[in-house]
């Protein structure tokens, strides 16, 4: 699927949506006939004046404490603490994610991250609009910022608000946090719902973040799609979708009417860390053998400040 995606007006609601908001069957029906996943599933879209599920930076400048060293890391990036120094969040903590491989000067390096977050926001908006629980789930919307002084001047990075009480609820390989109690069940239900409401096109998973009095905030979500790698190396494609449901056990927050793939099966051993597609120069993306762990990326961290 191309990026930016193709768009089309839904024949039922009249709103213009990206191609990925239609099932393949609906899209192929053509203009004036195809209906978006909202309408197919019979759900009302969130009102335009309803608060977004995004948790924004709401700031224009931040101080990053590179000298203190990183407090978390993934396969590709170091994660540093900082604080906002201009804007509505002035004085509040933030985090900055910097590539390990060296200076990054182009926004394109972060395209998969931004694309996954935007799709996650769309799916979480649909979840929140249905009021399945009496709490709201928000998604940190990271932005591409640049260092404006010092030896890193001009280098690109991702900045987003800091999350207290960090924990991981599920992964993209089928792992579920058995110690997370109700919120782990809620997040599993959200992952299941994302498949249902997208007409089987996506699974939102690898859900991690913090629990607050009014709900939860998640960050670094993974989107598994019908085409491996569309949303970056953590998008395990059709096998990842089948594997997720091979491990998934519906709970009290899931609805019996929500759809699941009929041929769900376990493809990978569930791991808490984030699994990635393995690529080579001369082949299409390859996945690990059945019931073997895939290559991992883990943003485990302490949550002290």
């Amino acid at each position: 699927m191309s990026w930016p995606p193709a768009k089309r007006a839904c024949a039922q609601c009249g709103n213009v949506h990206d191609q990925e908001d239609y099932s393949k069957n609906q899209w192929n029906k053509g203009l004036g006939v195809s209906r978006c996943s909202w309408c197919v599933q019979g759900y009302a879209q969130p009102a335009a004046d309803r608060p977004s599920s995004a948790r924004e930076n709401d700031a224009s400048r931040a101080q990053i404490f590179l000298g203190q060293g990183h407090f978390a890391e993934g396969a590709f990036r170091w994660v540093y603490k900082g604080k906002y120094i201009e804007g509505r969040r002035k004085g509040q903590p933030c985090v900055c994610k910097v590539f390990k491989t060296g200076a990054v000067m182009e926004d394109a390096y972060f395209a998969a991250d931004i694309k996954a977050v935007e799709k996650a926001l769309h799916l979480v908006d649909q979840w929140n609009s249905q009021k399945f629980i009496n709490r709201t789930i928000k998604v940190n919307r990271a932005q591409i910022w640049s260092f404006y002084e010092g030896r890193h001047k001009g280098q690109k990075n991702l900045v987003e608000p800091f999350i207290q009480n960090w924990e991981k609820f599920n992964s993209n390989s089928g792992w579920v946090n058995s110690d997370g109690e109700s919120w782990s069940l809620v997040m599993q239900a959200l992952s299941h719902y994302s498949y249902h409401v997208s007409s089987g096109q996506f699974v939102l998973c690898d859900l991690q973040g913090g629990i607050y009095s009014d709900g939860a905030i998640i960050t670094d979500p993974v989107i598994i799609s019908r085409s491996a790698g569309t949303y970056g190396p953590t998008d395990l494609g059709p096998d990842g979708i089948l594997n997720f449901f091979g491990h998934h056990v519906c709970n009290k927050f899931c609805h019996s009417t929500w759809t699941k793939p009929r041929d769900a099966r376990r493809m990978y051993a569930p791991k808490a860390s984030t699994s990635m597609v393995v690529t080579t120069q001369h082949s299409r993306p390859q996945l690990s053998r059945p019931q073997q762990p895939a290559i991992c990326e883990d943003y485990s961290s302490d949550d002290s400040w």
Side-chain angles (χ1 to χ4, degrees), residues 32-50:
V33 180
S34 54
R35 297 187 300 148
C36 68
S37 61
W38 298 77
C39 293
V40 169
Q41 300 298 334
Y43 294 130
Q45 297 188 50
D49 59 350
R50 186 183 60 83

Side-chain angles (χ1 to χ4, degrees), residues 196-251:
H196 170 75
V197 79
S198 67
S199 300
Q201 299 300 299
F202 308 103
V203 170
L204 167 64
C205 57
D206 210 56
L207 302 177
Q208 56 196 306
I211 305 303
Y212 293 75
S213 60
D214 58 348
I217 300 169
I218 59 176
T219 185
D220 289 332
V222 165
I223 297 292
I224 304 179
S225 73
R226 288 292 179 183
S227 178
T230 298
Y231 287 84
T234 58
D235 177 358
L236 303 181
D239 284 351
I241 293 176
L242 296 181
N243 176 74
F244 178 86
F245 282 99
H247 291 283
H248 176 67
V249 177
C250 286
N251 61 61

Side-chain angles (χ1 to χ4, degrees), residues 116-130:
V117 168
E118 292 306 308
K119 174 51 64 178
L121 279 167
H122 179 72
L123 295 167
V124 172
D125 265 348
Q126 294 182 78
W127 166 275
N128 285 333
S129 72
Q130 298 305 308

Side-chain angles (χ1 to χ4, degrees), residues 20 63 76 86 98 125 147 171 183 187 234 247 251 262:
E20 60 191 21
Q63 178 183 7
F76 304 117
E86 284 185 9
V98 179
D125 265 348
F147 289 107
S171 76
W183 273 107
M187 295 300 179
T234 58
H247 291 283
N251 61 61
R262 289 192 296 268

